[in-house]
Amino acid sequence: MTKPTFTIDLRSDTVTRPTAKMRGCMHKAVTGDDVFAEDPEINELQKRCAEMFGMEDGLFCPSGTMTNQIAIAVHTSPGEEVICDKLSHIYNYEGGGIARLSGASVRLLHGDLGRFTASDVRSNVNPLDSHYAKTSLVSLEDTCNKGGGSIWDLSELREVSKVSRELGLAVHLDGARLWNALVARGIHNDAKALHAYGANFDSISLCLSKGLGCPVGSVLVGSKSFIAQAHRARKVFGGGMRQAGIVAAAGIYALENNIDRLEVDHARAKRLGEAALHHPSVISHYPIDTNIVILELQKGVDADALSAEWGRNGIECFQFGPSSIRFVTHLENTDDQIDGACHYLSNI
Ligand SMILES: *Cc1c(COP(=O)(O)O)cnc(C)c1O
């Protein structure tokens, strides 16, 4: 076999490594003991993330799994129930943490690519009767990873939040790729729109290590009293860090430099999706709202074997299900690599 003339890593947007400029900021970090809230970079990062969404306070954590699980632990008590979509990361990909760490049960909704409606929430809240688990939290995901980077319709999202609150439920957002969703809506530089968006939630989890290109880190934002409780949960979960300003400095750099450019990832994802439709093994793709492309394959095509074949031809990607393959675009991709991948997919 001839060696491919290009290689592109489309496995995930978590594969990005810190750039020289980002490393420069990390190098200059002052740092301090964050368990004592004395790390200036962490304090600054938490403040910026909170203010962006009109929240009072923030908490820097090692991972998005931890920020989600801390939020669930604070919003629920053992034996209570969390409402979320069946595609949600908190349910599928966090090691059963809802049951294990919070002792809570889950009510799964069957939404549209991860998005559900206010009436879904209304009809899945348990009655206030001691036979039932007490429903206490609704969790949304914007963008929804397993939904192919799908974004919510803002009016539906507002309605879900309003109805959930009327029912006495807390509302959490898994915003691992929230900046992708905001860029797709064109509101990422509109402070008022961001505050209005944040007002729908009691807590938001934000990942810096996905599209924003940081080596590690997530931030949880919410009210002062919520974050005070989250601080205790973070300690219990073993996530209290010391001079982690070295990584928070990467986060501040990313907020300033890597949000606007997400639209490039989105345009590239669309190009890849269109090119892949020319491939004889591809039937269709999910709607491409952001930086994730999910390709559905012809009957009988083995997704694992096809993704391995594409890998040998320079396109590194994963199977997403038995008959689908996922691409995720990110800041290490170049135009030449995208051209190469589109050419390969559409001329096979
Ligand atoms: C990646 C991701 C997370 C968090 O993952 P970590 O690897 O723990 O940082 C949470 N939610 C969604 C939707 C994700 O894609």
Side-chain angles (χ1 to χ4, degrees), residues 14 62-66 68 89-90 94 141 143-145 174-177 205 207 209-210 217-218:
T14 56
S63 73
T65 297
M66 188 178 282
N68 280 331
H89 194 280
I90 59 164
E94 299 189 3
E141 194 174 308
T143 74
C144 178
N145 177 358
D174 177 353
R177 293 191 182 78
S205 161
C207 283
S209 60
K210 299 247 164 100
S218 286

Side-chain angles (χ1 to χ4, degrees), residues 152-199:
W152 282 69
D153 173 70
L154 278 183
S155 59
E156 191 62 61
L157 182 146
R158 278 194 291 273
E159 194 58 24
V160 165
S161 164
K162 183 170 148 270
V163 165
S164 300
R165 284 172 167 169
E166 281 165 14
L167 293 164
L169 313 176
V171 187
H172 173 67
L173 176 71
D174 177 353
R177 293 191 182 78
L178 177 55
W179 283 295
N180 293 86
L182 300 171
V183 166
R185 295 184 186 109
I187 60 170
H188 54 293
N189 288 320
D190 180 343
K192 244 176 96 182
L194 295 179
H195 283 203
Y197 182 88

Side-chain angles (χ1 to χ4, degrees), residues 78-280:
E80 294 183 350
E81 195 154 278
V82 178
I83 294 180
C84 62
D85 190 84
K86 69 176 193 299
L87 300 185
S88 61
H89 194 280
I90 59 164
Y91 172 73
N92 288 290
Y93 298 133
E94 299 189 3
I98 300 176
R100 183 166 181 161
L101 300 169
S102 295
S105 60
V106 177
R107 178 71 65 96
L108 291 181
L109 304 181
H110 297 251
D112 163 33
L113 298 177
R115 300 154 301 190
F116 45 86
T117 65
S119 89
D120 291 334
V121 173
R122 214 186 269 288
S123 55
N124 282 279
V125 172
N126 286 331
L128 279 179
D129 168 327
S130 60
H131 288 83
Y132 300 95
K134 178 172 179 270
T135 308
S136 48
L137 174 66
V138 176
S139 182
L140 288 72
E141 194 174 308
D142 189 23
T143 74
C144 178
N145 177 358
K146 243 171 129 55
S150 53
I151 61 175
W152 282 69
D153 173 70
L154 278 183
S155 59
E156 191 62 61
L157 182 146
R158 278 194 291 273
E159 194 58 24
V160 165
S161 164
K162 183 170 148 270
V163 165
S164 300
R165 284 172 167 169
E166 281 165 14
L167 293 164
L169 313 176
V171 187
H172 173 67
L173 176 71
D174 177 353
R177 293 191 182 78
L178 177 55
W179 283 295
N180 293 86
L182 300 171
V183 166
R185 295 184 186 109
I187 60 170
H188 54 293
N189 288 320
D190 180 343
K192 244 176 96 182
L194 295 179
H195 283 203
Y197 182 88
N200 292 298
F201 303 101
D202 298 299
S203 53
I204 302 179
S205 161
L206 300 154
C207 283
L208 301 160
S209 60
K210 299 247 164 100
L212 293 203
C214 294
V216 69
S218 286
V219 180
L220 183 62
V221 297
S223 68
K224 273 235 167 316
S225 71
F226 171 83
I227 292 295
Q229 295 174 78
H231 198 276
R232 178 180 292 273
R234 185 183 70 174
K235 190 74 197 151
V236 173
F237 291 173
M241 297 184 285
R242 303 295 176 178
Q243 287 73 25
I246 265 182
V247 276
I252 295 169
Y253 174 85
L255 291 181
E256 289 175 357
N257 296 281
N258 291 351
I259 295 179
D260 286 344
R261 63 155 306 288
L262 290 171
E263 67 186 3
V264 174
D265 297 347
H266 299 175
R268 287 172 171 167
K270 285 205 173 70
R271 276 193 64 202
L272 287 166
E274 277 163 28
L277 291 179
H278 295 286
H279 191 284

